[in-house]
Amino acid sequence: MKKEDCIFCKIANGEIPSKTLYEDEAFRVILDLGPATRGHALILPKNHFDNLYELSDEAASGVMKLARKMAGIMTEKLNCDGFNLVQNNGETAGQTVFHFHMHLIPRYKGDGQRIKIGWIPGEPDQEELEEIKKTIAE
Ligand code: 5GP
Ligand code: ZN
């Protein structure tokens, strides 16, 4: 299913040209136009899903298999030192294009990016962790 006026639907389905690294029936992998590092790429499903919440089980498992495959190929070809998978959902979480995509980010020693896509670690006590666990899992 495609969505009208979705730029990633158009790119994924070849209506807008892109630097394509890989393509199959369900996905296209393209170079990001605003890369964090050399080789930063995006996995786009050809069907439209706004985000992770909407992703089908089939696309979800396909994405992770493809991420693993691409990470291997890209690490070998680019000779990078590490690899981040990043996937943002919702404006609050930094999503800017509302068609599900997985970032493939090769990492190089001294690449100038933060080592981790960072957060400030909290210091929850056992009571708070217990309350959160109950909220989610009970
Ligand atoms: P998000 O912030 O939604 O997780 O990531 C969106 C990503 O898409 C950004 O890294 C941005 O550079 C990339 N991007 C936005 N528009 C285009 C485009 O038209 N073509 C390509 N190749 N990448 C795009
Ligand atoms: Zn779309």
Side-chain angles (χ1 to χ4, degrees):
M1 237 56 73
K2 320 293 173 261
K3 189 175 174 188
E4 275 296 301
D5 296 328
C6 171
I7 186 161
F8 278 6
C9 277
K10 292 193 168 76
I11 292 173
N13 292 282
E15 289 167 45
I16 294 178
S18 62
K19 297 289 184 214
T20 294
L21 306 180
Y22 172 87
E23 184 184 3
D24 62 24
E25 276 181 10
F27 299 102
R28 183 186 293 268
V29 181
I30 62 167
L31 287 180
D32 194 297
L33 284 184
T37 64
R38 176 178 156 78
H40 179 170
L42 303 170
I43 298 178
L44 310 181
K46 290 188 174 178
N47 283 326
H48 181 91
F49 306 97
D50 279 355
N51 50 42
L52 181 68
Y53 306 113
E54 300 207 341
L55 200 63
S56 65
D57 281 352
E58 191 186 0
S61 59
V63 162
M64 195 44 96
K65 280 186 191 160
L66 184 51
R68 182 174 62 83
K69 179 170 159 171
M70 291 306 301
I73 293 169
M74 290 166 73
T75 298
E76 191 187 324
K77 301 267 185 177
L78 296 169
N79 203 22
C80 59
D81 303 303
F83 212 91
N84 291 124
L85 297 182
V86 177
Q87 203 280 306
N88 303 318
N89 299 283
E91 218 173 318
T92 307
Q95 187 177 9
T96 58
V97 180
F98 295 90
H99 173 123
F100 176 95
H101 50 281
M102 174 79 84
H103 294 261
L104 304 172
I105 308 180
R107 298 302 304 270
Y108 307 88
K109 284 191 186 106
D111 64 22
Q113 299 291 349
R114 288 195 188 97
I115 291 179
K116 286 190 185 179
I117 306 298
W119 60 84
I120 301 161
E123 295 178 353
D125 55 24
Q126 285 302 316
E127 199 181 331
E128 190 179 351
L129 291 174
E130 183 62 22
E131 182 273 314
I132 296 164
K133 187 208 81 176
K134 281 190 175 144
T135 302
I136 298 169
E138 287 177 17

